[in-house]
Amino acid sequence: MKSLWLDRESQFTSDALPDEKHFDTIVVGAGLTGMVTALLLSRSGQRVVVFEARTLGAVSTGNTTGKLSLLQGGVLSALRSQYSLKVVKAYVEANKSGQAWLTQYLEQQGVPFQRRTAVTFATTDDGGQRLRKEAAVSRDAGLDVHFSRDVGLPFPVVEALELEGQAQIHPMEVLDTLARDIREHGGMIVEGVQVQNVGSEHPMEVSTSKGTFTADTVVLATGSPILDRGLYFTKLEPNRSYAAALRPPAGSDIPPNMYLSIDSPTRSQRTHPTAEGDLLLVGGYGHAGGRAASPKLHLDELLGWAEQHYPGAEVTHTWSAQDYQATNLMPFFGKLPRGHGRILFGTGYNKWGMSNGVAVALSITSDILGGQSDWATTIHHRVTSPRGALQAIRLNAGTAKRMIEDRAKVRSNPEITDETHPAEGTGVVGLYKGEPAAVSTVEGKVCMVSASCAHLGGLLSWNDAEKSWDCPLHGSRFTPEGNYLEGPATHHLKKSVGKKKD
């Protein structure tokens, strides 16, 4: 599957691996957070390189729905259940800062985007009650939201909450523009370089799949931090959700705004302008990363919902994305523990990375260059609520239980042999010569790799939508051949499986 944003002719080409070995700052990850950070630091005169394990925007940014909104479903009322109003206001101010910076930047650079009204809707009475709570907290936090029952959707809603003046973007056009600007200010962007470790001495030694470099500062702008310092993988829950672009029949009346349900399953909707007319983008029907028996069924449910309400619309693209929700619901960002103040990071945007990601880039840049905003100071000094701490305990207890159950289950699965050839598009896990092995068949090619995740050894599961191996513990993902896709892992899967004879 390839997203609408990534399925295009791109003018971007990677810089060659640099001969120079030292940089002021090395940024890890070429998504929105990493690229904005790299631009701001390059503008300040720093020598900056961005190392991206895959390609520009290949992970979260290139697979988003591209909504840049301060109305975020039920996020604010959920935050208010754990934090003071002061902290919730700081979160809103952070997102306002991120949204304002990005829209102003796009206007200055001549990159098109569309202003839209954001709508959160409820289709049940329970959803209506949650919506009223969200409205109360939103107003307390300074957002000019208002209720509506006629939002133009082709199905009945109990109630809807609206916020005018929000925005929708083409994320890859944003990244292309940032890339050009970074280079104009002397920065570099190098694809295909996986950062695998960062030392603690100054200058910091940065070990990569293409050699070793040094830097005064390192910024981890990956979905989940690739360093285990601070154990953030234990405080983040990976969530996978699905999206599709559809071309409605000629003459169809498509609702023009950005919509999101507050009820489960989540359903998201927006338009995207093209020369042939507007496309309809739908999304949602998510699940915990690596834990769905059949991710494809979730995608099929989304497409079924779209067909029900927009009959005759032709599917042009389907894709999925992985987001991370912090157990205490607030994004983590700033200085990484045991990094001596020279390793900075951002994570846990909980599906709202277009505004949160830019806000974190602004904060990280301030940390490096000196200074800080009031909203960042308030968020940094918040106290995790008992509910947030309990959720972390529950998450990790569930992760430990899953690991034990999977290790027992693999022993009862049919044994993997050299003759194991799964059906096309499927993958199986079992023991091969006493070790967990994962075998798949994709486009006629049979591959066997280790079934133990390269992060902490979780037993991988087959993703029948993306044709990938996904870890149910902390969200690392790999191709059928075992190559790294995303998550906290820093290496590919082992390609050699089976205990060697003495």
Side-chain angles (χ1 to χ4, degrees), residues 361-379:
L362 296 173
S363 178
I364 286 174
T365 304
S366 294
D367 277 333
I368 294 172
L369 300 180
Q372 192 53 269
S373 60
D374 289 341
W375 58 258
T377 300
T378 298
I379 292 174

Side-chain angles (χ1 to χ4, degrees), residues 64 86 161 310 394 404 500:
T64 177
K86 180 182 179 181
L161 193 63
Y310 298 96
R394 287 173 177 164
I404 293 169
K500 296 180 180 180

Side-chain angles (χ1 to χ4, degrees), residues 237-253:
E237 183 174 3
N239 292 295
R240 195 145 202 91
S241 55
Y242 300 86
L246 303 96
R247 189 171 299 284
S252 297
D253 186 19

Side-chain angles (χ1 to χ4, degrees), residues 424-467:
E424 174 62 37
T426 67
V428 296
V429 172
L431 293 181
Y432 175 78
K433 298 182 180 179
E435 290 188 6
V439 186
S440 63
T441 304
V442 177
E443 297 181 354
K445 181 180 179 181
V446 179
C447 293
M448 181 190 296
V449 294
S450 171
S452 297
C453 179
H455 179 221
L456 294 179
L459 190 70
L460 302 174
S461 63
W462 180 247
N463 181 331
D464 58 356
E466 293 276 17
K467 306 298 185 288

Side-chain angles (χ1 to χ4, degrees), residues 71-337:
L71 185 63
Q72 302 178 352
V75 167
L76 297 188
S77 53
L79 287 171
R80 185 67 182 92
S81 71
Q82 295 198 29
Y83 300 106
S84 68
L85 181 58
K86 180 182 179 181
V87 173
V88 176
K89 284 183 175 180
Y91 175 85
V92 171
E93 288 304 312
N95 280 260
K96 281 183 178 179
S97 297
Q99 183 190 65
W101 188 95
L102 188 54
T103 53
Q104 183 179 26
Y105 179 76
L106 297 181
E107 287 171 346
Q108 292 171 345
Q109 297 291 325
V111 179
F113 66 96
Q114 299 80 46
R115 290 286 185 184
R116 293 289 187 269
T117 296
V119 182
T120 300
F121 64 90
T123 56
T124 67
D125 291 337
D126 179 63
Q129 291 180 1
R130 292 180 59 205
L131 201 60
R132 286 186 282 278
K133 290 180 181 178
E134 186 69 16
V137 177
S138 297
R139 288 167 176 158
D140 288 343
L143 297 182
D144 187 19
V145 297
H146 59 87
F147 283 103
S148 173
R149 294 195 178 185
D150 183 16
V151 292
L153 290 168
F155 48 83
V157 300
V158 172
E159 209 153 26
L161 193 63
E162 297 185 346
L163 181 63
E164 297 173 352
Q166 305 309 292
Q168 59 185 31
I169 64 174
H170 187 311
M172 292 308 297
E173 289 182 355
V174 175
L175 291 188
D176 282 348
T177 304
L178 289 166
R180 287 193 297 270
D181 209 353
I182 289 167
R183 285 170 168 167
E184 287 174 2
H185 287 85
M188 302 178 69
I189 304 131
V190 187
E191 297 177 329
V193 177
Q194 185 172 18
V195 173
Q196 297 171 329
N197 196 19
V198 179
S200 56
E201 301 297 323
H202 185 265
M204 288 179 293
E205 190 172 273
V206 180
S207 302
T208 82
S209 58
K210 299 291 180 65
T212 301
F213 299 83
T214 60
D216 298 322
T217 307
V218 173
V219 175
L220 304 181
T222 50
S224 177
I226 58 165
L227 300 180
D228 288 346
R229 302 169 200 180
L231 301 178
Y232 283 95
F233 63 86
T234 69
K235 307 168 190 176
L236 296 167
E237 183 174 3
N239 292 295
R240 195 145 202 91
S241 55
Y242 300 86
L246 303 96
R247 189 171 299 284
S252 297
D253 186 19
I254 308 174
N257 294 317
M258 304 188 303
Y259 302 88
L260 182 67
S261 69
I262 201 164
D263 304 287
S264 295
T266 300
R267 287 142 291 163
S268 169
Q269 181 178 316
R270 61 162 280 194
T271 59
H272 173 65
T274 73
E276 296 77 30
D278 283 356
L279 293 178
L280 172 67
L281 274 57
V282 297
Y285 287 83
H287 58 83
R291 298 198 180 195
S294 173
K296 185 176 182 300
L297 286 180
H298 289 256
L299 175 60
D300 290 343
E301 288 176 348
L302 171 64
L303 296 176
W305 176 79
E307 173 61 26
Q308 176 186 355
H309 298 295
Y310 298 96
E314 175 194 359
V315 177
T316 64
H317 298 79
T318 60
W319 67 96
S320 68
Q322 189 155 287
D323 298 275
Y324 297 85
Q325 177 179 293
T327 53
N328 64 14
L329 304 182
M330 186 69 75
F332 296 114
F333 62 97
K335 297 174 182 177
L336 193 72

